[in-house]
Amino acid sequence: MPKHLPADSVGIVEQHSLHFDEPLPLDCGRSLPAYELVYETYGELNADRSNAILICHALSGSHHAAGYHSEEDRKPGWWDACVGPGKPIDTNRFFVVCCNNLGGCHGSTGPSSINPETHRPYGPDFPLVTVRDWVNSQARLSDALGIERWAAVVGGSLGGMQAIQWAMDYPDRLGHVVAIAAAPRLSAQNIGFNEVARQAILTDPEFHGGRYYEHNTVPRRGLALARMLGHITYLSDDAMRDKFGRDLRADGGRYKFNFDVEFEVESYLRYQGRSFVDRFDANTYLLMTKVLDYFDPAAEYGHDLSAALAHVRARFLLMSFSSDWRFPPERSREIVRALEDNQKQLSYLEVETTQGHDAFLMPIPVYTEAFRAYMQGIAREVGA
């Protein structure tokens, strides 16, 4: 490992890609005739293939969960705080897989991919997918990697929703679910936030009905606004107050009486919006928000979450954060109650913190120690 990289990093990592020719039926009634899934792996698979962990990413995540792609990378993967040697998901003990989901923009087949029927980017013609579609594609990836059963499927936010869906759809193919800062479905308020974000993109003049690739442009303003809105919901009021307060950027604490950036929080949000545009695709953002909106596994069981989870066999670790108002602890407790109704094995931790929804990405000691202890139990269980 290069000397300047942290000792608890997985180091320099490579991405892999698998092509699937078997059509994938989708919940929307369409199918993908063929597709690519890009993924990364960390650690070593043991002889009996029992130590495999699947990480599912959230809305703006990717397959790059940990480590660095080159020595020049300034930032590691999105969950580097929790994945690596000695970390909660310990790569000295586990073989870890993380893939970029279908519809993504980091290598897996998505709206920016070429549609084989038109030989142009899919754009708005890419089918809307669901969490169940993602889980089905991940199961095929598991088959291709020779992994019959995951020791655990793990994720935060939208990733946690995928872990829950795994337990419902493939109950014999995983031992544990770790769902962090997740929810059994979106509230009306959350759907509303997503719709405002979508409208920011859809009404951008550079969107061109989703075919902006063919116009050699990007709906930068709309995507940046969507990200700015989303980012506010990922932070708590306390976190924003501690980080920015009402601090002004300059001018000796005097107002400018114009619409330029004056407050530090304005500067921060504009930076978040601008930088996001350079690494994410607008059509993918639209698709991901719909995946979130559609997730409601209890709907097929008369909106009875207990009935929906009656047949799961995995043991559950659920964690929530006190200051998360996007997916507040009460949403995790709904899952806890449904599992308890079915006398399922579970552990639940509510972490007192001020960081908001994004806390699941951060090295908060109470959170990471509980996470590590649970994962060490899984490691002992599989002899890793």
Side-chain angles (χ1 to χ4, degrees):
M1 183 185 296
K3 292 182 179 179
H4 70 281
L5 296 183
D8 61 355
S9 169
V10 297
I12 304 297
V13 298
E14 295 181 359
Q15 70 176 32
H16 309 278
S17 180
L18 279 174
H19 180 81
F20 296 84
D21 284 320
E22 181 183 354
L24 180 70
L26 304 172
D27 277 346
C28 67
R30 297 172 59 188
S31 67
L32 280 176
Y35 55 94
E36 301 273 341
L37 286 178
V38 168
Y39 65 97
E40 287 182 3
T41 68
Y42 322 108
E44 298 293 332
L45 190 62
N46 62 9
D48 62 1
R49 299 175 176 267
S50 64
N51 70 330
I53 304 290
L54 177 65
I55 292 176
C56 303
H57 69 74
L59 187 151
S60 60
S62 71
H63 56 289
H64 184 42
Y68 300 81
H69 284 151
S70 73
E71 294 186 39
E72 288 71 42
D73 277 0
R74 295 186 346 183
K75 292 183 178 181
W78 59 268
W79 218 9
D80 199 76
C82 290
V83 182
K87 294 178 181 178
I89 303 177
D90 189 346
T91 52
N92 288 332
R93 307 181 79 174
F94 293 114
F95 176 68
V96 183
V97 179
C98 185
C99 74
N100 183 215
N101 283 325
L102 288 173
C105 54
H106 295 94
S108 293
T109 300
S112 60
S113 304
I114 299 299
N115 182 343
E117 295 180 359
T118 65
H119 305 290
R120 299 188 304 171
Y122 276 102
D125 296 330
F126 193 83
L128 290 181
V129 294
T130 64
V131 168
R132 180 158 49 197
D133 296 330
W134 281 349
V135 168
N136 287 336
S137 69
Q138 292 162 3
R140 291 189 179 182
L141 176 64
S142 310
D143 294 339
L145 296 176
I147 298 169
E148 295 183 4
R149 188 174 189 268
W150 298 101
V153 179
V154 183
S157 189
L158 178 54
M161 296 173 178
Q162 293 165 65
I164 294 167
Q165 191 78 51
W166 258 97
M168 293 175 60
D169 293 352
Y170 296 94
D172 295 323
R173 297 198 64 175
L174 72 164
H176 294 260
V177 165
V178 180
I180 308 165
R185 64 191 176 282
L186 258 60
S187 66
Q189 183 187 55
N190 270 311
I191 295 171
F193 283 131
N194 285 344
E195 173 59 8
V196 173
R198 286 191 291 267
Q199 287 301 314
I201 295 169
L202 292 167
T203 58
D204 187 316
E206 299 301 322
F207 184 63
H208 296 287
R211 302 197 185 279
Y212 46 89
Y213 317 107
E214 299 169 34
H215 294 265
N216 197 31
T217 188
V218 174
R220 301 186 68 87
R221 285 167 291 180
L223 183 56
L225 284 171
R227 178 59 171 179
M228 290 167 70
L229 172 66
H231 204 73
I232 291 170
T233 71
Y234 303 147
L235 301 175
S236 71
D237 184 42
D238 286 342
M240 295 187 79
R241 181 174 58 250
D242 292 344
K243 190 176 182 70
F244 308 109
R246 289 180 52 83
D247 293 350
L248 296 170
R249 296 198 70 205
D251 294 333
R254 295 187 299 272
Y255 296 140
K256 296 179 181 178
F257 294 99
N258 61 31
F259 295 107
D260 292 341
V261 172
E262 295 186 84
F263 292 92
E264 288 289 354
V265 67
E266 293 176 309
S267 175
Y268 173 78
L269 289 172
R270 292 194 191 189
Y271 169 77
Q272 289 293 330
R274 287 194 306 269
S275 62
F276 189 67
V277 169
D278 294 331
R279 68 177 190 271
F280 214 78
D281 178 67
N283 278 322
T284 288
Y285 198 88
L286 294 173
L287 180 146
M288 295 285 182
T289 62
K290 277 296 189 180
V291 174
L292 274 166
D293 290 355
Y294 290 155
F295 182 73
D296 186 6
E300 297 177 7
Y301 296 84
H303 299 283
D304 183 343
L305 186 61
S306 296
L309 296 177
H311 301 293
V312 304
R313 297 181 181 176
R315 282 171 281 179
F316 277 67
L317 170 63
L318 298 159
M319 291 188 280
S320 65
F321 301 94
S322 60
S323 56
D324 181 358
W325 59 279
R326 187 85 195 248
F327 293 156
E330 176 54 31
R331 310 315 307 282
S332 289
R333 290 197 290 268
E334 288 180 47
I335 304 169
V336 169
R337 288 192 293 269
L339 291 167
E340 288 178 336
D341 286 345
N342 290 291
Q343 299 181 314
K344 304 297 182 181
Q345 291 183 288
L346 70 112
S347 300
Y348 173 61
L349 174 66
E350 181 178 324
V351 181
E352 288 290 331
T353 180
T354 61
Q355 282 90 341
H357 184 62
D358 269 358
F360 82 92
L361 299 170
M362 301 177 184
I364 300 166
V366 172
Y367 159 53
T368 55
E369 286 307 312
F371 193 0
R372 179 182 289 108
Y374 191 87
M375 296 303 296
Q376 285 175 346
I378 297 175
R380 289 191 295 272
E381 182 181 298
V382 300

